Amino acid sequence: MQVLKFGGTSVANAQNISLVKDIVANCAADNCIIIVSALGGITDTLLNAANLSSKQDEGYKTVLKEIETRHLDTVKSLIPVHAQSTILSKIKSELNTLEDLLEGAFLIGEITPQLSDKIVSYGEMLSSYIISEYFQHQQLDAGHVDSRTLIITNEVNEKAAVNFKITNANCKKFFSKTPHKIIVAGGFVASSESGNPTTLGRGGSDYTAAIIAAAVDAEILQIWTDVSGMYTANPKLVKQAKAIPHISYEEAMELSHFGAKVLYPPTIQPVLAKGISIEIKNTFKPEDKGTLITKNQNEKGKTVRGISHVENIALLSLEGPGMVGIPGISKRFFEVLSQAEISVVLITQASSEHSICVGISTDDIDKAVQIVNSAFEYEIERGKIKHVIAEQNLAIIALVGDNMKSHQGLSGKMFSTLGKNNVNIRVIAQGASERNISAVIKKDDVKKALNALHEEFFEENIKQLNLFVMGVGNVGAKFLNQVCQQKKYLKENLKLNIRVIGLSNSRTMVFDDGGIPLKNWEDTLASGEKANKEHFFEKVNQLNYRNSIFVDNTASADVSTTYNSYLGNSISVVTCNKIACSSEYSNYQELKSLARTYNAPFLFETNVGAGLPIIDTLKHLIASGDKILKIQAVLSGSLNFVFNNFNDQTSFHDVVKQAQEEGYTEPDPKIDLSGVDVMRKILILARESGNQLEISDIENKSFLPQESLDTDNNDDFFASLAKYEDDFQKLYTDAVAKESKLKYVAQFEEGKASVGLQEIPKGHDFYNLEGSDNIVLFYTERYPNQPMIIKGAGAGADVTASGIFADIIRIGNF
Ligand code: ADP
Ligand code: ASP
Ligand code: MG
């Protein structure tokens, strides 16, 4: 004997029911019992009709019509025309009775739990009847039984307790006598000893199947549903979740108790007692292996088997000085809750006994607050206990696994993963069996927390980085191309899965939860909504993805003012925009401190020397205890390009123009030529070396005539360069006369920084600097005479983009 249970989606319509028939027809057992749910969604629809009629809302009639149409259509599609009329009239007659019940509720304007159970039981009654008739017309040897004659419960409605003695006897008797190979019965519905209709709780068809399987000593219980087993996390929320091949009863029970809806929690108990295995299978992919649930699971090496969560949790805390050392307070607290039939999902008590905190369903919170306050009225009046505190909009997230107890560090890993992603943990609980570690978190953080934990515990360390990119100019476009090219390599070799979720330029912005396809991001972006940097941030924050990184590829001061919002919400920032780090020291300091407080890296390697690892090296020197004595550097790829190409055969104006056109200067070339850009860079290096400096502290003797410095647009600036060509030529010939080359040098020593054009003699480290190269000499306590030198291309969109990329990978490895 086998028991097969088919859930709501599996029997939602004629097409699905025909798949069910194929599965049943292929069942190898001599006899099978088929337990079915109501047609998918019908239980909710029935409850909705009941609710409307109890509120005297005529709308219940429309809902009833919908219920009728669903069932009649299903019959018409499944049953041959000549045989339809008997079945249709039986269904119509049942629906007439249902209509009477709803009308009754409408007239009184009220619904009792008993009437509600009576109404809702039509779902399973009708579905099981239709399916058994269909099986018969498909030449299967099938019969039907009304489960209410088999499953007997107490008188409690909506989640009745089963009387196993009577139920088992009923089942044994019925199934030993039935002449049919297949019996179809509805799940969920039952009746009380006095004959009133009851139900086993939402999702209870699984339980019906388990009760019957245990009663008849079935070989196996199969739960056929719409997913291929019990997954490592709810597959609707975690795309990477996988079916768990083999799991123990206890693990399955914990997972379902903590929200894995695929199995109704009480289901395990009856089959566990008999040692009957459960298989969870997918009706739509019967070839998938699914999940096997048995006494022991044989995947010994695995510790965490699944992560589940329960939404709609509220915390109820009882606190007060009068609780310490007084026995009986918790007993009374739990008694009051239990008398009100409020089930407690999680309990913690501080070791000081100063407070007890329980997690309960949000639905029960108002009632709970009221009854607990009145139960402790005497103590509250005397100030021994405070009014009970309720907190809502929470969820429980739980790691489950039999072998967790023999491993240290799992809770540490769980909490640090949540912490890194700015998921605040309100309460922690660990079952004495150590089969489960649970944490109460904000409901809004559930998806992020599940995915972050899933990544940590199940995805062979594949880490997903979610990028939100602003700016797609020279650097931005190159960056996106590099991400597109490297995606596969990074996934395979560095276990980093990089996705661009949001993209914006100054005109439009787009978001795609699944990642923007990078092959044609231009078109996608062009069709986006109007850009707005505040809305962009709000969207990033609201998406609340783990490992979110904001990437600023602009040179905009406005954009740089948004970094604190990102960092303050644990969203990392990577930027090639120098404005933030060279703004007032207090702002720089605040950003650094936000990054530390919220565990969100703030990286700006490309602020100095494009892709060259200058800041990173500096950080390592300092972190390892070295001290910076002096920094000497040529930090402007643009000025280097200009002075390397400028000579008596070219004009200064033309060389600057060329540098601008080839992307070697800032969009406003005056920023480079005036030395402001170099000032910003040496300022950042000085700050990163631990010095508190402002841009105004930096000495800058500009080589540009005052008139050029005073221009306020690019055209005037270039015109002034042409006008002063003779002055520039003189700089050149003076240097050549001394066998020197012109280099724009930045220097920092003893707390003072300066920038300016210098004539560099032959033999100097700077003399042979080619093209747009940069060079930095770090004189430190460990490198006092021979400085540490970093040299290479220091400007250009490609190297800058790769520097941004490197920062992102640093975060990936963080
Ligand atoms: P049925 O109607 O077949 O009883 P349910 O809707 O009750 O199906 O349960 C199946 C659903 O449970 C899945 O579609 C999935 O969304 C949800 N679910 C939640 N957690 C898990 C999990 N860990 N593994 C599998 N499914 C889960
Ligand atoms: N039909 C009932 C429900 O939706 C029982 C079940 O499907 O398991 O809750
Ligand atoms: Mg279910």
Side-chain angles (χ1 to χ4, degrees):
M1 179 82 83
Q2 292 193 358
V3 177
L4 284 70
K5 177 260 169 177
F6 293 88
T9 320
S10 304
V11 297
N13 51 44
Q15 198 186 355
N16 296 0
I17 295 172
S18 79
L19 298 176
V20 168
K21 190 260 318 174
D22 293 341
I23 293 167
V24 173
N26 285 327
C27 175
D30 292 340
N31 297 87
C32 355
I33 302 170
I34 310 301
I35 306 299
V36 294
S37 289
L39 308 190
I42 286 292
T43 307
D44 286 333
T45 318
L46 283 161
L47 288 171
N48 183 22
N51 182 35
L52 290 172
S53 52
S54 72
K55 289 191 180 133
Q56 304 195 310
D57 181 335
E58 299 254 3
Y60 83 88
K61 292 183 179 160
T62 322
V63 178
L64 183 63
K65 191 81 206 147
E66 191 189 311
I67 294 170
E68 179 177 304
T69 316
R70 274 284 296 280
H71 288 92
L72 299 183
D73 284 355
T74 309
V75 171
K76 287 176 196 157
S77 314
L78 288 175
I79 310 284
V81 180
H82 70 270
Q84 281 177 10
S85 64
T86 336
I87 302 169
L88 291 176
S89 55
K90 163 119 176 60
I91 290 176
K92 279 186 186 151
S93 137
E94 293 288 353
L95 290 171
N96 285 342
T97 320
L98 174 62
E99 188 173 8
D100 292 344
L101 296 175
L102 290 167
E103 203 174 290
F106 180 85
L107 291 173
I108 329 168
E110 192 192 4
I111 196 144
T112 59
Q114 195 180 337
L115 182 55
S116 172
D117 268 357
K118 200 166 191 165
I119 290 171
V120 84
S121 60
Y122 276 81
E124 268 73 5
M125 266 159 53
L126 294 174
S127 68
S128 59
Y129 168 66
I130 295 172
I131 291 168
S132 74
E133 288 292 331
Y134 168 60
F135 283 2
Q136 286 162 30
H137 286 96
Q138 293 291 314
Q139 277 67 53
L140 295 181
D141 176 13
H144 180 236
V145 63
D146 184 341
S147 312
R148 293 172 300 179
T149 62
L150 299 177
I151 315 274
I152 306 302
T153 68
N154 63 5
E155 302 290 335
V156 174
N157 281 103
E158 293 173 345
K159 196 174 182 179
V162 175
N163 180 328
F164 280 96
K165 207 165 157 212
I166 309 179
T167 302
N168 288 346
N170 286 348
C171 291
K172 280 206 171 77
K173 193 165 151 209
F174 175 82
F175 289 105
S176 62
K177 286 206 185 127
T178 174
H180 298 290
K181 180 175 167 357
I182 297 164
I183 289 291
V184 182
F188 178 55
V189 298
S191 66
S192 72
E193 285 168 54
S194 64
N196 287 319
T198 54
T199 55
L200 303 179
R202 292 305 306 271
S205 295
D206 297 340
Y207 192 28
T208 308
I211 295 165
I212 295 180
V216 303
D217 289 306
E219 295 147 32
I220 194 159
L221 164 62
Q222 290 186 332
I223 305 281
W224 290 83
T225 180
D226 55 4
V227 284
S228 299
M230 191 164 231
Y231 279 57
T232 47
N234 185 342
K236 294 227 165 84
L237 295 180
V238 179
K239 286 209 185 81
Q240 317 292 338
K242 298 244 158 29
I244 311 170
H246 193 182
I247 195 168
S248 73
Y249 290 125
E250 285 79 8
E251 287 172 331
M253 200 137 56
E254 291 286 341
L255 283 172
S256 70
H257 180 70
F258 281 97
K261 185 186 167 219
V262 64
L263 201 63
Y264 182 52
T267 307
I268 310 274
Q269 204 55 49
V271 287
L272 179 149
K274 288 278 178 88
I276 300 168
S277 314
I278 306 178
E279 259 186 319
I280 302 185
K281 299 275 292 173
N282 188 343
T283 305
F284 307 93
K285 289 183 181 168
E287 65 288 356
D288 282 2
K289 274 189 91 70
T291 295
L292 177 66
I293 308 175
T294 60
K295 189 156 179 282
N296 296 310
Q297 44 95 358
N298 56 9
E299 294 182 58
K300 289 277 176 272
K302 309 249 172 78
T303 48
V304 179
R305 309 302 312 287
I307 308 167
S308 54
H309 75 285
V310 195
E311 282 184 11
N312 299 327
I313 289 289
L315 282 180
L316 195 65
S317 313
L318 194 65
E319 283 182 32
M323 289 173 64
V324 185
I326 300 181
I329 299 262
S330 12
K331 176 170 170 272
R332 274 169 61 205
F333 183 50
F334 289 111
E335 251 168 24
V336 173
L337 295 173
S338 129
Q339 274 157 11
E341 288 183 13
I342 293 174
S343 87
V344 170
V345 195
L346 167 145
I347 307 168
T348 59
Q349 178 168 27
S351 54
S352 69
E353 293 185 49
H354 196 76
S355 70
I356 316 173
C357 177
V358 296
I360 61 176
S361 159
T362 312
D363 299 341
D364 294 328
I365 191 72
D366 292 341
K367 184 159 130 200
V369 168
Q370 190 230 318
I371 56 167
V372 173
N373 280 340
S374 73
F376 288 97
E377 203 176 345
Y378 178 84
E379 288 84 354
I380 294 173
E381 266 175 19
R382 280 157 188 74
K384 291 186 184 297
I385 288 182
K386 295 185 196 157
H387 279 107
V388 71
I389 303 164
E391 283 172 77
Q392 304 205 41
N393 294 321
L394 300 169
I396 297 179
I397 188 150
L399 294 189
V400 171
D402 282 344
N403 298 331
M404 281 170 37
K405 56 180 169 297
S406 46
H407 280 76
Q408 293 86 15
L410 291 174
S411 41
K413 200 161 154 189
M414 173 178 185
F415 302 136
S416 72
T417 305
L418 294 176
K420 264 189 209 164
N421 283 284
N422 200 26
V423 175
N424 189 23
I425 301 171
R426 279 288 298 109
V427 166
I428 297 166
Q430 179 163 19
S433 66
E434 292 188 46
R435 190 173 283 122
N436 146 358
I437 310 172
S438 9
V440 176
I441 62 173
K442 275 199 303 207
K443 200 168 127 194
D444 291 347
D445 284 335
V446 162
K447 192 170 174 194
K448 176 159 79 170
L450 279 178
N451 280 282
L453 292 173
H454 196 269
E455 197 167 75
E456 187 66 40
F457 288 100
F458 292 101
E459 292 171 33
E460 290 173 44
N461 295 329
I462 285 233
K463 191 165 180 180
Q464 185 166 301
L465 300 180
N466 297 303
L467 308 189
F468 298 88
V469 179
M470 192 165 280
V472 292
N474 273 345
V475 173
K478 283 271 179 343
F479 169 70
L480 292 173
N481 291 341
Q482 288 180 8
V483 174
C484 182
Q485 261 173 26
Q486 279 304 94
K487 220 170 141 43
K488 191 157 169 268
Y489 174 88
L490 291 173
K491 197 161 178 184
E492 284 167 7
N493 295 283
L494 296 187
K495 304 278 178 224
L496 291 177
N497 181 16
I498 300 198
R499 309 185 312 166
V500 176
I501 307 286
L503 189 59
S504 178
N505 59 14
S506 54
R507 293 174 300 281
T508 49
M509 59 183 196
V510 277
F511 289 87
D512 184 339
D513 299 4
I516 296 167
L518 292 182
K519 289 231 155 63
N520 54 352
W521 60 265
E522 288 94 339
D523 297 343
T524 315
L525 180 58
S527 61
E529 59 187 294
K530 193 170 180 319
N532 174 311
K533 65 180 196 316
E534 282 81 23
H535 294 173
F536 193 83
F537 162 71
E538 278 155 22
K539 180 78 185 181
V540 178
N541 198 31
Q542 175 222 325
L543 280 171
N544 202 11
Y545 279 136
R546 68 197 184 285
N547 308 327
S548 289
I549 307 176
F550 174 65
V551 183
D552 178 11
N553 291 325
T554 73
S556 149
D558 272 356
V559 175
S560 76
T561 60
T562 60
Y563 298 170
N564 50 2
S565 313
Y566 287 99
L567 295 171
N569 284 282
S570 290
I571 298 162
S572 307
V573 173
V574 169
T575 178
C576 62
N577 180 348
K578 291 180 256 308
I579 296 179
C581 287
S582 57
S583 61
E584 298 80 54
Y585 184 77
S586 55
N587 185 46
Y588 162 82
Q589 213 25 30
E590 189 199 333
L591 294 173
K592 294 272 233 182
S593 137
L594 283 172
R596 267 191 305 275
T597 312
Y598 292 93
N599 240 316
F602 171 42
L603 298 183
F604 41 87
E605 179 61 86
T606 47
N607 278 195
V608 182
L612 295 177
I614 297 175
I615 296 180
D616 200 46
T617 307
L618 182 54
K619 276 189 191 159
H620 282 129
L621 286 174
I622 292 170
S624 64
D626 205 351
K627 286 216 164 47
I628 305 297
L629 305 175
K630 181 162 96 175
I631 303 171
Q632 262 190 324
V634 174
L635 290 175
S636 171
S638 340
L639 285 173
N640 213 34
F641 177 90
V642 168
F643 287 107
N644 278 341
N645 288 290
F646 173 54
N647 53 42
D648 47 6
Q649 305 300 308
T650 57
S651 82
F652 192 71
H653 167 279
D654 290 356
V655 175
V656 175
K657 194 87 210 164
Q658 185 192 351
Q660 187 200 31
E661 278 163 10
E662 293 186 15
Y664 287 123
T665 66
E666 296 283 318
D668 170 3
K670 197 172 77 179
I671 294 187
D672 293 302
L673 277 280
S674 64
V676 168
D677 182 63
V678 179
M679 285 165 81
R680 286 177 177 165
K681 288 173 178 165
I682 193 73
L683 177 68
I684 294 170
L685 291 184
R687 285 177 172 177
E688 288 291 304
S689 320
N691 296 278
Q692 187 171 340
L693 225 70
E694 296 292 351
I695 196 107
S696 53
D697 298 331
I698 300 174
E699 190 187 336
N700 177 2
K701 279 195 233 98
S702 179
F703 66 90
L704 286 181
Q706 193 58 41
E707 194 179 322
S708 306
L709 288 172
D710 291 342
T711 54
D712 57 10
N713 61 62
N714 282 356
D715 290 343
D716 290 354
F717 178 68
F718 276 106
S720 78
L721 294 188
K723 181 171 165 194
Y724 288 95
E725 181 63 28
D726 290 349
D727 295 15
F728 298 124
Q729 283 298 338
K730 180 160 185 323
L731 291 174
Y732 175 77
T733 44
D734 285 356
V736 171
K738 292 178 203 152
E739 288 191 67
S740 295
K741 284 188 181 173
L742 290 170
K743 300 286 167 196
Y744 200 85
V745 177
Q747 181 150 326
F748 176 72
E749 193 174 9
E750 290 179 359
K752 288 204 164 47
S754 64
V755 299
L757 197 62
Q758 291 185 13
E759 293 169 341
I760 301 292
K762 255 196 184 132
H764 191 284
D765 286 320
F766 293 172
Y767 186 84
N768 284 322
L769 210 56
E770 301 291 334
S772 66
D773 281 5
N774 276 198
I775 183 166
V776 182
L777 315 184
F778 285 122
Y779 292 87
T780 73
E781 281 182 354
R782 288 189 198 136
Y783 298 88
N785 304 318
Q786 287 302 318
M788 175 185 272
I789 303 180
I790 301 170
K791 181 180 162 190
D798 244 328
V799 282
T800 307
S802 68
I804 293 168
F805 209 160
D807 273 346
I808 288 166
I809 291 166
R810 277 184 194 109
I811 295 179
N813 296 328
F814 171 63

